[in-house]
Amino acid sequence: NTMNNALSIVMYHYVRPIAGSRYPHLCGLELSSFEGQLDYLLKHYNPVSAADVVRAHRGEFALPENPVLVTFDDGYTDHYNFVMPSLLRRGMTGVFFPPSCSVEERIILDVHKIHFIVASVEDSKILVKSIDEAIEDARNEFDLELLAEYRSKFLLPNRFDTAEMNYVKPVLQIGLPEALRGRIASQFFHKYVSKDESSFADELYVSTTDLGHMLEKGMEIGSHGHAHNWLNSLSIESQAQDIDRSLEMLTKIGVSKENFYFCYPYGGYNEDTLDILSSRGCAAAFTTRVGLAHPYMDNNLLELPRLDTNDLPRSVDAEKSQWTHAVKHSSRLLMNNKI
């Protein structure tokens, strides 16, 4: 019964027709696979909204058996053009987390520049070599580690990427000094992707008008911070400023700052972040920690775990028992702790 009441929160990013597109190597979810995954969820689970989860936590609502909530990070036009129509056709809703600097200022985040750089260069070894050369060129300008140290830290595979691809992302996201990694990301973006950042941003990110339409259609919009920073790397004052700027955008599009939803960029947060969100009246906040959520038992909803789309089957024909290791591992932990 406990497992039937556990809440599955699924995390999505890019959802689009990828094969045959300008960026066929983009690391995202093919639209057809997304459609199959939604049908799978409808067959075995009961969709709920973030508002339902909050009400259940407060004892005002009973979640259905096998509840599932779908969430979408980063404010891509994918979510307006493809995701929302797919959800509406199935009578579902989703929670969307756009970073306000990209929506309002049309700034392409470095992390997204990196995604399209990687998608545009088939041989990631070329990028590894180029990054190493850029590091050596900047050695007199910045306090940098030896190449061997960067390689030992980051040239490692993870469950989604090869060692070379996984080297590119963290080195340009956290490994190098901020000014240097931003400079390299922009140089590579202009070389391999586009020199017209303004037009690219318009293609990539939703607008405030789009977000207003999504609200009208019953979608839920939350905050993903302003500049998509690793919040746990900022001072408490800088965190508060970043979060408050993002809340200003929510107010502009018609979302109340009371009982708002938040998603931690990169999953990065600390006790300061939790204190700030609590003081602003955040109703629920979503992490990148893998696992199932238990809204009835959590003291608060500010550290909700999620599942990646890659942890789910992509066909309506898949059996419920075919959840992958992420869910099974979470289930074992719950059983062992007798929750």
Side-chain angles (χ1 to χ4, degrees):
N1 289 336
T2 298
M3 289 310 304
N4 286 345
N5 289 330
L7 170 65
S8 300
I9 307 173
V10 188
M11 171 176 58
Y12 295 92
H13 290 86
Y14 299 103
V15 179
R16 58 173 66 185
I18 298 174
S21 71
R22 279 187 295 163
Y23 303 101
H25 302 292
L26 181 67
C27 186
L29 183 63
E30 186 70 50
L31 179 58
S32 59
S33 296
F34 176 66
E35 299 267 2
Q37 202 162 81
L38 290 183
D39 291 337
Y40 165 85
L41 291 175
L42 282 175
K43 181 177 180 180
H44 297 291
Y45 292 81
N46 291 299
V48 297
S49 67
D52 292 335
V53 175
V54 173
R55 289 169 55 217
H57 174 72
R58 295 172 177 171
E60 302 167 356
F61 178 76
L63 290 176
E65 189 174 273
N66 299 319
V68 64
L69 174 65
V70 289
T71 67
F72 303 86
D73 295 6
D74 293 348
Y76 303 127
T77 51
D78 301 20
H79 302 159
Y80 184 82
N81 294 330
F82 305 118
V83 169
M84 183 172 67
S86 296
L87 293 175
L88 290 174
R89 284 196 296 271
R90 293 165 174 80
M92 297 175 67
T93 189
V95 197
F96 298 82
F97 297 104
S100 54
C101 78
S102 298
V103 174
E104 295 190 306
E105 302 171 30
R106 312 316 269 171
I107 293 173
I108 305 178
L109 299 174
D110 285 349
V111 62
H112 299 150
K113 289 181 180 178
I114 295 165
H115 292 164
F116 284 91
I117 291 166
V118 170
S120 300
V121 181
E122 290 189 42
D123 187 355
S124 52
K125 292 179 181 178
I126 293 174
L127 294 177
V128 171
K129 181 181 178 182
S130 297
I131 290 172
D132 287 350
E133 290 173 351
I135 291 173
E136 290 304 311
D137 290 342
R139 190 164 295 283
N140 293 333
E141 190 178 350
F142 296 90
D143 182 18
L144 302 174
E145 299 176 6
L146 297 174
L147 283 180
E149 294 176 356
Y150 290 117
R151 285 173 168 263
S152 66
K153 287 181 184 178
F154 302 117
L155 193 60
L156 303 166
N158 63 21
R159 67 184 182 126
F160 298 131
D161 296 325
T162 64
E164 289 78 14
M165 186 177 295
N166 194 41
Y167 180 75
V168 174
K169 294 179 181 179
V171 168
L172 294 184
Q173 289 177 16
I174 58 172
L176 297 176
E178 183 177 1
L180 178 58
R181 63 179 187 252
R183 186 168 75 191
I184 294 174
S186 292
Q187 289 173 347
F188 285 12
F189 186 82
H190 294 163
K191 179 178 180 179
Y192 296 113
V193 185
S194 174
K195 291 182 171 63
D196 186 352
E197 291 195 20
S198 177
S199 296
F200 196 92
D202 286 338
E203 290 184 19
L204 184 59
Y205 298 117
V206 291
S207 66
T208 53
T209 301
D210 295 335
L211 293 175
H213 289 161
M214 294 170 76
L215 285 172
E216 291 172 1
K217 294 294 186 179
M219 302 298 117
E220 297 175 303
I221 310 295
S223 166
H224 204 26
H226 176 68
H228 201 274
N229 288 311
W230 294 81
L231 293 175
N232 54 337
S233 71
L234 303 180
S235 67
I236 187 170
E237 294 81 8
S238 296
Q239 287 195 49
Q241 290 173 3
D242 185 272
I243 291 169
D244 287 342
R245 288 188 70 182
S246 74
L247 296 182
E248 290 173 7
M249 185 196 74
L250 292 187
T251 300
K252 289 177 185 176
I253 64 172
V255 176
S256 172
K257 286 197 292 186
E258 297 181 6
N259 299 317
F260 66 93
Y261 312 125
F262 192 87
C263 177
Y264 303 106
Y266 307 105
Y269 67 98
N270 55 24
E271 290 299 322
D272 289 338
T273 325
L274 297 175
D275 289 342
I276 294 167
L277 292 178
S278 295
S279 70
R280 268 59 171 179
C282 182
F286 299 80
T287 72
T288 56
R289 180 166 53 88
V290 178
L292 302 177
H294 300 273
Y296 293 112
M297 292 179 283
D298 291 340
N299 291 328
N300 61 57
L301 299 182
L302 298 186
E303 298 180 88
L304 291 168
R306 293 188 290 175
L307 306 167
D308 191 274
T309 173
N310 291 294
D311 293 321
L312 277 70
R314 300 180 182 182
S315 168
V316 67
D317 298 324
E319 296 296 328
K320 186 184 174 191
S321 61
Q322 290 177 345
W323 284 102
T324 60
H325 69 279
V327 183
K328 293 177 181 177
H329 177 63
S330 178
S331 301
R332 286 196 297 272
L333 290 178
L334 292 171
M335 294 296 289
N336 291 340
N337 292 326
K338 298 180 180 181
I339 294 177

